[in-house]
Amino acid sequence: MAFQAIGLTATPRRGLIARLCHRRQEESGRKTALTSRFARHQALWSRTLAPVRPFDAPRGRATDWDASWPLPRELTSVRRGRRLVTAQLGDWGLQDLADTAELLVSELVTNALRHTCGPLRLNVQVRDSRLRCEVEDTDPTGPVRRVVDADAEGGRGIDLLDLLAEAWGSTSTATGKTMWFQLPAKASSPQESPASD
């Protein structure tokens, strides 16, 4: 027989079909088990991970004195963060804060890219005559102050925040933390006075 010549044995057609049907049932049973297990885990974690969803949303807040943007995990996000903050402060008539806010946002985004994993989000808001800038990430570990040499190229982020920000801090969230700083802000016209909480 030709099958035997090449090392294959002839199998009755009924037996082959029965084995294929049995194998297909086993595979579909495994897929169903995996799917239902995945669905259970997804349902279990959906509440916990719900705060992460806005990281990837185009705009997390949409009010007159709030702005929010997702940032990709790329080095270009530092430049993008600076541009977004500068443009937003221009729209709000707070150009006088642009240089300081740019520098500090650049520092927060750089640190988030360097020391965390996962999605990032940049938030900017004005409340009670205060500009607040935040960088959200999914790592719960807070900042660590380091002692650096005079000629070191990095490690001065916390010193910059101490020097330039009115206040700054790290707030734990359900999915990680938010690094933030505040600067005193005066609106350009009385009609556009920042909203109070």
Side-chain angles (χ1 to χ4, degrees), residues 3-188:
F3 288 117
Q4 291 172 343
I6 58 171
L8 298 173
T9 56
T11 308
R13 192 166 187 203
R14 250 189 222 153
L16 179 63
I17 292 172
R19 274 189 278 159
L20 287 174
C21 288
H22 182 67
R23 185 180 297 161
R24 184 172 288 163
Q25 286 173 347
E26 285 178 351
E27 287 176 0
S28 71
R30 273 191 236 126
K31 284 181 184 174
T32 304
L34 288 174
T35 303
S36 63
R37 184 176 180 202
F38 175 74
R40 283 195 312 268
H41 282 282
Q42 186 176 14
L44 177 67
W45 286 101
S46 65
R47 290 182 189 144
T48 305
L49 297 178
V52 173
R53 287 188 194 132
F55 282 137
D56 299 324
R59 186 174 174 92
R61 299 182 179 102
T63 67
D64 291 340
W65 295 98
D66 288 292
S68 184
W69 308 272
L71 295 175
R73 292 202 62 83
E74 302 168 357
L75 291 177
T76 56
S77 289
V78 178
R79 182 177 65 229
R80 182 170 188 263
R82 286 194 303 257
R83 287 180 179 171
L84 289 168
V85 167
T86 302
Q88 188 63 61
L89 293 180
D91 290 348
W92 288 341
L94 300 172
Q95 296 91 336
D96 55 328
L97 298 177
D99 291 339
T100 304
E102 251 189 283
L103 177 63
L104 295 179
V105 162
S106 176
E107 187 62 38
L108 293 185
V109 173
T110 300
N111 285 342
L113 288 170
R114 184 175 293 165
H115 301 292
T116 69
C117 299
L120 304 175
R121 177 166 282 284
L122 172 62
N123 306 312
V124 183
Q125 59 185 236
V126 178
R127 293 282 186 276
D128 298 324
S129 299
R130 301 279 183 278
L131 170 70
R132 181 178 172 109
C133 297
E134 305 172 340
V135 175
E136 296 178 63
D137 63 59
T138 56
D139 186 343
T141 309
V144 177
R145 188 182 294 270
R146 295 187 304 164
V147 178
V148 294
D149 295 332
D151 46 335
E153 291 183 11
R156 293 185 182 82
I158 292 178
D159 295 334
L160 282 173
L161 287 166
D162 284 339
L163 183 66
L164 299 174
E166 178 183 63
W168 69 272
S170 175
T171 306
S172 295
T173 64
T175 56
K177 71 174 177 303
T178 299
M179 286 293 299
W180 58 270
F181 66 86
Q182 279 184 190
L183 299 171
K186 298 274 194 241
S188 59

